[in-house]
Amino acid sequence: MSDNPVEEMNEPIESAAPTGGLAEILAPRLSVIFCGLNPALTAHRDGHNFSNRSNRFWRVLHLAGFTPRLLRAEEEREMLHYGLGLTSAVSRPTKSASELRKSDYVAAAPILEEKIRRLAPSNLAFLGKAAYAAISLRAQVEWGRQPDEFAGASVWVLPNPSGLNRAFDLTKLTEHYREVKLAIERDGNGVK
């Protein structure tokens, strides 16, 4: 196996641009696709995922061991080299995810399901509880690995790395993300 799992794939890398032009970072058979709730207005404006300096996604990804160095939002496509991808449950950008309703997630679920089924990642990690709770029709969702799969992928629910999420400091965020990384290594549930 090469150091670049994307090179070993027979199918080309996909990068779909949902409404507004913010690219998804996707390819077939990735180890994990991180699924944000929806794009922030700052990311939409900048043209890169998690571009707001207060967002801790890139730092947590590195500290949890998913990337060997700290990536910048402008380097988001490099995630593919590590078997990682990015998408959003809802493609409509907002100032805050609190502007979304349960019905927004439910309406977007068939699109996400088709995408995940087609790309066949090993794991799908929702960043925050709202999207998965709405899609799975569960009133209560715990952090971590979920008992059910979604479109053939193991499901994780991780704390949202947004700077607006004050309930989780950097250490706690990193612990939750590292749990996914360690499970992938333990289970051999990496790039297919």
Side-chain angles (χ1 to χ4, degrees), residues 19-90:
T19 55
L22 184 64
E24 295 180 288
I25 310 302
L26 298 171
R29 298 176 307 280
L30 293 171
S31 177
V32 60
I33 292 177
F34 294 95
C35 182
L37 301 176
N38 75 310
L41 286 176
T42 53
H44 178 73
R45 178 197 69 218
D46 298 342
H48 296 289
N49 294 282
F50 303 108
S51 63
N52 190 314
R53 293 180 148 254
S54 71
N55 194 295
R56 301 164 291 177
F57 179 76
W58 300 109
R59 197 162 10 150
V60 169
L61 212 61
H62 172 62
L63 292 173
F66 283 103
T67 61
R69 68 177 182 84
L70 177 61
L71 298 178
R72 297 184 321 270
E74 301 80 34
E75 299 173 306
E76 61 192 1
R77 293 197 53 77
E78 287 189 34
M79 291 180 70
L80 295 169
H81 297 293
Y82 308 112
L84 310 173
L86 273 177
T87 192
S88 294
V90 174

Side-chain angles (χ1 to χ4, degrees), residues 129 132-133 136-142 146:
K129 292 181 178 181
Y132 185 67
S136 66
L137 304 175
R138 291 200 174 118
Q140 296 284 20
V141 173
E142 298 298 323
Q146 301 303 301

Side-chain angles (χ1 to χ4, degrees), residues 148-160:
D148 300 319
E149 291 187 342
F150 181 83
S154 294
V155 174
W156 294 81
V157 176
L158 303 174
N160 194 303

